[in-house]
Amino acid sequence: MSIRRATLRQLEIFDTLAVHMSITRTADALHLSPPAVSIQVRQLAEAAGQPLIEQVGKKLYLTDAGNAVALTCRDLFERMERLTQELAALQGLEKGSLRLAIITTAKYFVPRLLGEFSEQHPDIDVSLFVGNRKAILERLSHNQDDLYILGQPPKNLKLTATPFAPNPLVAIAYPGHPLVSQSAIPPARLGNEPFISRELGSGTRRAYEDFFRQHKTELRIRMELGSDEAIKQTVAGRLGITILAKSTVQAELLRGDLVLLDIQGLPLERQWYVVYPEQKFLAPVTKAFQAFLISQHGDSTTP
Ligand code: PGA
């Protein structure tokens, strides 16, 4: 057997396996069964003439041959992706696809914009991934999508990042909380309050942890939740206070279910960024969506 006998499908499965390093997660990502993934990987190893993975305890590792195959897979699929975009470019703006990955808090305004954009360009296939900062950065480093929307571009990757709208973080509490009637509250005062926090890996959490570190304040985290919706309900249920992106609590603030706290140094003035890897070829559809996003918020209003 020779590696030339490997099929594109086997290489695609191996490329995904090299990202997830787990047969089950690879199977989930590709909507296959775990045995189907294992068979394809075994056949690819037969074509390569040597093992590509090895299992030590419960952990999966790539062998040297596996690493070499994984690198070629990445190269190959990046080229295929570029080819897809070039072919789409030849067809112009009215055809093609747009793969967008957005950070959880952006789900409060991006889907509506995507809807408007899709109405203007009905033949474009759109896919949307929503995840926390950690998940988005992982996809970004593997170049899995066309565009990314996040609150703070990472410094360790070569990216083109354009700020397109303000994204202030605000402190909120339930109506009637003793701090609601106070003004210019020193940040250190929040160290005494039960705090409802986002999960590790959240960009929101990272931002307010930096803020409290600067103010030498340790938070009393009462509960950690992976969803802004659950956090809002918990705060409304009088279990604590929190800091969230203002765009996620607009409706509750208007209804009076939650109220803003006047903390010195807040809101944390952040921006939404639209981001892609520096060398990436942007298809007309992707460029058009990026321009649409920027034009919608060029007036610097809160999303
Ligand atoms: P998060 O990120 O949804 O992971 O908290 C939001 C942000 O960084 O603005």
Side-chain angles (χ1 to χ4, degrees), residues 11-52:
L11 296 176
E12 187 190 8
I13 291 173
F14 197 71
D15 185 48
T16 313
L17 180 68
V19 172
H20 294 289
M21 292 311 292
S22 146
I23 297 281
T24 321
R25 285 205 298 276
T26 302
D28 281 352
L30 296 173
H31 308 293
L32 293 171
S33 68
V37 170
S38 299
I39 290 172
Q40 296 288 340
V41 173
R42 190 166 356 104
Q43 286 174 353
L44 183 61
E46 277 164 23
Q50 43 190 316
L52 302 179

Side-chain angles (χ1 to χ4, degrees), residues 103-105 132-133 151-152 167 198 201-204 270 272:
I103 206 142
T104 34
T105 37
N132 74 7
R133 179 177 169 85
Q152 185 66 61
N167 174 24
R198 281 286 303 271
S202 143
T204 311
R270 303 172 78 228
W272 288 113

Side-chain angles (χ1 to χ4, degrees), residues 46-67:
E46 277 164 23
Q50 43 190 316
L52 302 179
I53 52 175
E54 60 195 2
Q55 185 142 6
V56 180
K58 285 202 168 143
K59 222 166 169 257
L60 211 58
Y61 295 88
L62 297 185
T63 60
D64 286 349
N67 272 316

Side-chain angles (χ1 to χ4, degrees), residues 146-159:
D146 297 319
L147 280 183
Y148 302 81
I149 294 176
L150 61 153
Q152 185 66 61
K155 297 208 173 74
N156 60 337
L157 298 175
K158 288 205 161 110
L159 303 170

Side-chain angles (χ1 to χ4, degrees), residues 111-160:
R112 186 173 41 81
L113 294 176
L114 206 49
E116 275 173 43
F117 183 77
S118 300
E119 262 171 31
Q120 290 169 19
H121 307 285
D123 289 331
I124 291 171
D125 292 330
V126 179
S127 77
L128 180 65
F129 174 88
V130 182
N132 74 7
R133 179 177 169 85
K134 188 163 175 263
I136 298 294
L137 295 192
E138 192 164 316
R139 290 179 75 89
L140 181 57
S141 64
H142 290 110
N143 191 20
Q144 282 177 271
D145 308 273
D146 297 319
L147 280 183
Y148 302 81
I149 294 176
L150 61 153
Q152 185 66 61
K155 297 208 173 74
N156 60 337
L157 298 175
K158 288 205 161 110
L159 303 170
T160 302

